[in-house]
Amino acid sequence: MALTQNAALRLYCVERNYGYTGLRPIRRVRFGGGWKRACMKMKANMETNVEMVNGKKVNGIHVDGISTFLDKRKGGDLLNEEPNHEYMLGRFVEDRFVYRQSFVIRSYEIGPDKTATMETLMNLLQETALNHVASSGLAGNGFGATREMSIRKLIWVVTRIHVQVEKYSSWGDVVEIDTWVDAAGKNGMRRDWIIRDYKTQDIITRATSTWVIMNRETRRLCKIPDEVKKEVQPFYLNKAAIAAENTDSEKIEKLTDETAERIRTGLAPRWSDMDANQHVNNVKYIGWLLESVPINVLEDYNMTRMTLEYRRECRQSNVLESLTSMKTITSEEEDDAENSIGTEDLECTHLLRMEADQAEIVRARSVWQFKQHNQII
């Protein structure tokens, strides 16, 4: 067994629920009784070093007698499922075409209404996608790039993403995300996601996206090389998270100074907004787009749909402007005219552009539902 002492000790402890602190293993640890004594010694040390709140350890280490979300899953038989590679990391399902990963919604991932934000969901989708590539054995030295892409200095860039949210999770909830890929025309790749509430297994979010390849040095789009196609095609799955008739495929109109109702200027990317591909991470654009949305909309409505069309890269040196226009739309959940007064749902059109030359960066469309229609649990 080619395990280091540290890895082998961790595996033994995790399998027996002894807990593991990440501390350096005790020297000369042996199989049999020696393993157990080592783990029990580590566990004893943890009893005095780990903070307790209401009788529970706050750093996530297993506590005997306290059930976790894994024990509460509705109708699940975890013993018959393929185990996670590590706790809370991903695994392959559906004949290894689908990658599945679970996440806890953290306190810093929620908004003022104590539920996850659209930015949080988008970050989780991105994280699952990157882990899918890494776990598949395709990962090169780029940010989600395959080996053949890395050799050719190529990276993936997203051109369009559409997200539909039925329910936003709350702080402490556990979500389960499935992701898979398929071809998108001759020179693109489609990636889809489904987010479920881990406890109920209800689908609460669906998303689909289109990706193309760009040269990392020239920053120009290019065709997918045959060598890269050979790498990714075995993972293609002919399955859609959102049916074609339910996908937002309509053109997003370009806003101008005349058609926009609100404009927010002087938005400056920070160093922390940059990603490993040396441009602003695509999730960051959402926050800037929402800067021009009225505060009463942010407070009284939930965003249930969002479509983003990425037009151009953004660097740290760029200063941006956010534009928004709004219109009311009829809600399918309205019972009668009396109940609909003051509660119309909204559709917003957004534009993020350069302040200097007004070059487009992102066009977007969002649908907002009045909160009394969309109960948050």
Side-chain angles (χ1 to χ4, degrees):
M1 184 184 299
L3 287 176
T4 63
Q5 278 191 347
N6 193 43
L9 178 57
R10 175 173 181 167
L11 178 63
Y12 184 91
C13 294
V14 170
E15 288 179 342
R16 288 156 178 78
N17 290 332
Y18 289 138
Y20 184 79
T21 62
L23 300 174
R24 189 174 66 182
I26 301 171
R27 293 183 179 178
R28 297 181 181 178
V29 177
R30 333 182 276 283
F31 287 99
W35 281 107
K36 185 171 182 179
R37 285 194 295 273
C39 291
M40 293 303 291
K41 183 173 182 180
M42 292 177 70
K43 184 179 180 183
N45 289 339
M46 287 189 290
E47 295 295 337
T48 57
N49 294 334
V50 178
E51 294 295 330
M52 307 282 287
V53 175
N54 295 328
K56 298 182 181 181
K57 293 184 175 67
V58 298
N59 65 349
I61 295 175
H62 176 84
V63 183
D64 291 334
I66 298 178
S67 61
T68 66
F69 72 92
L70 293 174
D71 304 316
K72 299 176 181 178
R73 180 171 174 176
K74 181 180 179 181
D77 184 0
L78 296 178
L79 296 179
N80 294 327
E81 294 189 7
E82 180 184 344
N84 286 351
H85 300 153
E86 294 286 351
Y87 178 69
M88 291 301 288
L89 293 186
R91 64 187 186 277
F92 286 95
V93 296
E94 297 187 28
D95 296 326
R96 296 186 65 82
F97 284 106
V98 176
Y99 184 75
R100 178 172 293 169
Q101 186 167 5
S102 300
F103 298 90
V104 176
I105 303 300
R106 308 294 184 179
S107 60
Y108 50 82
E109 296 174 322
I110 62 174
D113 59 359
K114 301 180 182 179
T115 61
T117 64
M118 179 62 77
E119 291 168 279
T120 293
L121 298 183
M122 295 282 280
N123 278 319
L124 295 180
L125 299 183
Q126 179 174 270
E127 180 69 12
T128 309
L130 292 171
N131 290 338
H132 181 197
V133 177
S135 298
S136 68
L138 294 178
N141 58 11
F143 196 51
T146 67
R147 292 190 184 93
E148 292 293 338
M149 290 174 63
S150 296
I151 292 172
R152 293 164 176 78
K153 301 179 180 179
L154 303 176
I155 59 175
W156 290 111
V157 291
V158 61
T159 59
R160 185 181 177 97
I161 185 166
H162 174 61
V163 184
Q164 300 180 356
V165 181
E166 296 299 324
K167 172 182 175 290
Y168 286 94
S169 300
S170 301
W171 175 29
D173 286 350
V174 179
V175 295
E176 180 181 82
I177 304 180
D178 286 1
T179 187
W180 62 92
V181 294
D182 196 8
K186 293 183 179 180
N187 285 297
M189 185 178 75
R190 193 190 83 232
R191 177 175 287 279
D192 285 7
W193 298 267
I194 287 177
I195 303 181
R196 297 182 184 88
D197 181 283
Y198 195 97
K199 185 176 181 181
T200 66
Q201 287 295 287
D202 293 334
I203 295 177
I204 56 178
T205 300
R206 299 175 184 269
T208 185
S209 61
T210 304
W211 299 73
V212 294
I213 281 183
M214 184 175 74
N215 185 287
R216 186 175 65 239
E217 294 186 348
T218 66
R219 316 309 285 187
R220 293 181 179 273
L221 300 182
C222 60
K223 294 182 179 180
I224 301 180
D226 291 338
E227 293 81 1
V228 175
K229 289 183 178 179
K230 290 178 181 179
E231 286 183 306
V232 298
Q233 282 177 345
F235 294 89
Y236 284 173
L237 177 63
N238 185 18
K239 172 182 177 180
I242 304 174
E245 60 271 19
N246 296 327
T247 300
D248 181 7
S249 57
E250 294 183 7
K251 179 182 178 181
I252 301 177
E253 297 297 329
K254 178 182 177 180
L255 289 181
T256 64
D257 290 345
E258 291 73 30
T259 59
E261 298 175 24
R262 296 174 61 91
I263 301 177
R264 175 70 185 275
T265 62
L267 302 173
R270 302 167 299 176
W271 174 254
S272 59
D273 296 326
M274 310 297 288
D275 65 18
N277 285 329
Q278 306 305 312
H279 58 199
V280 172
N281 186 282
N282 63 82
V283 177
K284 298 295 183 179
Y285 296 131
I286 298 175
W288 292 325
L289 290 170
L290 298 183
E291 284 293 321
S292 55
V293 175
I295 186 65
N296 67 296
V297 174
L298 300 176
E299 290 177 342
D300 298 335
Y301 291 77
N302 286 319
M303 189 195 304
T304 59
R305 301 287 187 272
M306 189 168 208
T307 304
L308 300 111
E309 292 182 353
Y310 296 92
R311 301 287 178 124
R312 181 178 278 100
E313 286 187 285
C314 176
R315 301 299 184 91
Q316 188 187 2
S317 58
N318 300 132
V319 179
L320 312 177
E321 294 180 332
S322 174
L323 293 74
T324 293
S325 68
M326 297 180 294
K327 67 179 180 180
T328 59
I329 56 176
T330 302
S331 170
E332 296 178 357
E333 298 183 22
E334 290 178 359
D335 295 328
D336 50 55
E338 182 179 353
N339 289 335
S340 67
I341 295 176
T343 62
E344 297 92 350
D345 294 340
L346 303 174
E347 180 179 288
C348 296
T349 301
H350 311 273
L351 175 66
L352 194 66
R353 68 188 185 188
M354 304 286 189
E355 191 171 86
D357 59 3
Q358 298 191 345
E360 292 182 86
I361 300 174
V362 182
R363 290 187 190 184
R365 177 167 42 240
S366 59
V367 176
W368 300 74
Q369 193 174 68
F370 195 70
K371 286 187 177 180
Q372 73 177 31
H373 294 162
N374 193 18
Q375 183 180 2
I376 298 177
I377 302 174

